Amino acid sequence: MKSEENTEKSNSVKSSYFGCTLLVLTHVLVVWGLYTTSFYENSQLSILYYLRAFAFCFWVLLSTFQIRTSFSDPGEIRQKSVPIKLQLVHEMYGRKCKKCNSWKPPRAHHCKRCNKCIFKMDHHCDWENNCIGALNQKYFVLFLLYQLLYLLTLLSIHTIGIYDYCMKSKRKILPMLMTITTTKCQILGILLFSFFFIFFVSQMLWDQISAISDNQTTVESRQGKFGRQQSFIHNFKQVFGDQAWYHWLLPTKPKLKINYAELVYAEELINQGTQYLEDVIYDETNPASIHFAEFMLDNQAKQK
C-alpha cells in the first residue's frame, strides 16, 4: 500500500515538472512568434501594424488565461463528510473517496496526479499543470480561443509580409529560399509551429465547446454518462458565469452556482427523455428549499 502511494507521489512530482516545462516552453514559443513579426517593420502596409497590435493583445490575453488556468482552483471537493440528507434520497450521494477520504459527489472525479477530488473534472492538463474542472474551465476555453486567434494573426502577418517582400523585390519564393539566412529560418520555423498548433488548438477548442453543449466532461464521456440536458446557453452560463456578456471574454472570475447535488445519467436514459431526479430533490425556484440552499454553493463567496 505504501509502495503504491510512493509511486503515485513520484508520478505526481514528475508530472508537475513536465507540466512546468510545457508551460515555460509554450510562453517561449509564443514570445518568439511575436518577435518574428518585427521582421516586417520596414513594410509600408498599414494592415501589418494593425495585425501586430492584435497579435500583442492576443498574447497578453492568452498568457493571462494560461496563468489563471494553471493557478486557479479547478473545483476541489472540500467537504469531508457525506451529507446524510442526500444519502437518504439516492445511493449515488453516499460515495466517499477512498484515496482522499472526502465526500465524492456524483459529478466529481479523483485526480491521481493532484490527489484531489475535482467537481466536474474534465481532464488533467499537462499543458496547464493543473486539472480542468468546474471552476477553471472558462479560463481554459478562453486560453484556447485566444491562442487560436493569436496563431491565425501570426500566420496572416507572415503571409502578407512575405507576399509584400516578394512583390517589392520582384523575386519568386523558390529562388529566394535557396539562400539561407537566420531570418528565413526563423520565419519558416514559426510558420511550421503555427500550422501545427492551429490544428491542435482547434481540435481541443472544439472538444471543449462540444463538452459544454452536451453538459458532459471527458471523464463522463468515457463512462457513457451525461449531466442534465439543457439548452446550450444554460450550459454555457454554468461554465462562463451568469453575468454581463463582456465578462465572458475577460479574465474575470465567473459567477457560478455550483450544484453538488447534480446527478449523472446514462446515455440510454437521456435518449428516452427521463425525468430528472434533481427536480425531486430540490426546487430551483424556491431558494428557501433546504437542499437547494445547502448544496448550491456560490463560488464568489468564501467557502469554508
Side-chain angles (χ1 to χ4, degrees):
M1 191 72 179
K2 288 184 178 180
S3 62
E4 289 181 3
E5 290 179 1
N6 292 333
T7 302
E8 284 187 7
K9 286 181 180 179
S10 176
N11 291 336
S12 178
V13 171
K14 289 179 181 178
S15 173
S16 179
Y17 283 126
F18 179 64
C20 289
T21 303
L22 277 178
L23 192 64
V24 172
L25 182 61
T26 300
H27 282 286
V28 169
L29 289 172
V30 168
V31 172
W32 173 47
L34 198 64
Y35 163 73
T36 60
T37 62
S38 65
F39 296 160
Y40 311 106
E41 283 184 340
N42 296 327
S43 174
Q44 300 299 316
L45 293 176
S46 59
I47 189 173
L48 289 176
Y49 292 100
Y50 292 115
L51 287 174
R52 287 183 65 195
F54 277 118
F56 179 79
C57 292
F58 292 145
W59 168 65
V60 171
L61 286 167
L62 75 88
S63 299
T64 303
F65 279 111
Q66 184 167 33
I67 292 170
R68 293 222 64 175
T69 307
S70 299
F71 295 100
S72 294
D73 174 20
E76 179 186 355
I77 304 298
R78 304 183 188 277
Q79 182 168 336
K80 298 298 180 183
S81 59
V82 177
I84 301 299
K85 296 173 185 176
L86 288 180
Q87 190 176 2
L88 294 174
V89 173
H90 198 281
E91 60 182 9
M92 287 183 68
Y93 291 120
R95 300 188 307 163
K96 198 166 185 180
C97 182
K98 296 178 181 178
K99 295 182 179 179
C100 60
N101 198 34
S102 64
W103 175 46
K104 194 174 182 180
R107 298 201 72 180
H109 183 77
H110 182 85
C111 176
K112 294 181 180 178
R113 297 186 185 181
C114 296
N115 196 29
K116 299 174 184 175
C117 277
I118 308 298
F119 187 67
K120 288 188 179 180
M121 175 183 165
D122 188 79
H123 66 287
H124 183 95
C125 184
D126 289 322
W127 201 2
E128 300 289 355
N129 198 29
N130 195 8
C131 279
I132 307 302
L135 297 185
N136 68 348
Q137 190 176 10
K138 170 195 170 180
Y139 305 140
F140 182 65
V141 173
L142 289 177
F143 161 68
L144 294 175
L145 174 64
Y146 288 118
Q147 177 82 296
L148 181 61
L149 292 174
Y150 170 81
L151 291 168
L152 291 172
T153 306
L154 202 64
L155 191 61
S156 300
I157 290 171
H158 285 291
T159 302
I160 294 171
I162 293 170
Y163 177 79
D164 182 52
Y165 175 79
C166 291
M167 291 297 290
K168 285 184 177 180
S169 61
K170 296 182 179 180
R171 297 177 63 185
K172 294 183 179 180
I173 294 180
L174 288 178
M176 186 177 64
L177 290 176
M178 297 303 292
T179 55
I180 300 174
T181 63
T182 305
T183 300
K184 291 176 184 177
C185 288
Q186 288 192 70
I187 292 174
L188 181 60
I190 209 65
L191 286 174
L192 293 174
F193 159 76
S194 297
F195 277 117
F196 171 76
F197 273 94
I198 281 172
F199 287 107
F200 176 68
V201 173
S202 297
Q203 183 60 51
M204 290 187 69
L205 181 60
W206 177 252
D207 289 342
Q208 288 297 307
I209 294 172
S210 300
I212 293 171
S213 177
D214 296 336
N215 193 14
Q216 180 188 50
T217 66
T218 300
V219 174
E220 290 167 352
S221 68
R222 292 169 182 168
Q223 299 171 343
K225 296 179 180 179
F226 292 82
R228 182 173 182 162
Q229 297 300 286
Q230 302 162 117
S231 65
F232 176 79
I233 190 63
H234 194 284
N235 292 336
F236 181 85
K237 288 181 178 180
Q238 284 188 335
V239 174
F240 283 77
D242 191 2
Q243 55 207 112
W245 67 268
Y246 53 85
H247 286 284
W248 298 341
L249 301 173
L250 298 174
T252 54
K253 190 175 183 179
K255 291 183 179 179
L256 306 173
K257 290 291 186 180
I258 305 299
N259 178 15
Y260 289 112
E262 187 177 356
L263 292 169
V264 285
Y265 299 88
E267 189 172 355
E268 54 268 21
L269 291 178
I270 296 296
N271 294 334
Q272 291 172 10
T274 181
Q275 179 181 0
Y276 295 102
L277 190 61
E278 287 101 323
D279 293 336
V280 180
I281 296 171
Y282 62 79
D283 179 10
E284 286 193 32
T285 61
N286 179 18
S289 169
I290 189 166
H291 296 301
F292 179 88
E294 189 171 349
F295 301 107
M296 291 287 286
L297 303 180
D298 188 348
N299 78 309
Q300 295 289 105
K302 186 177 180 181
Q303 296 184 14
K304 296 181 180 179

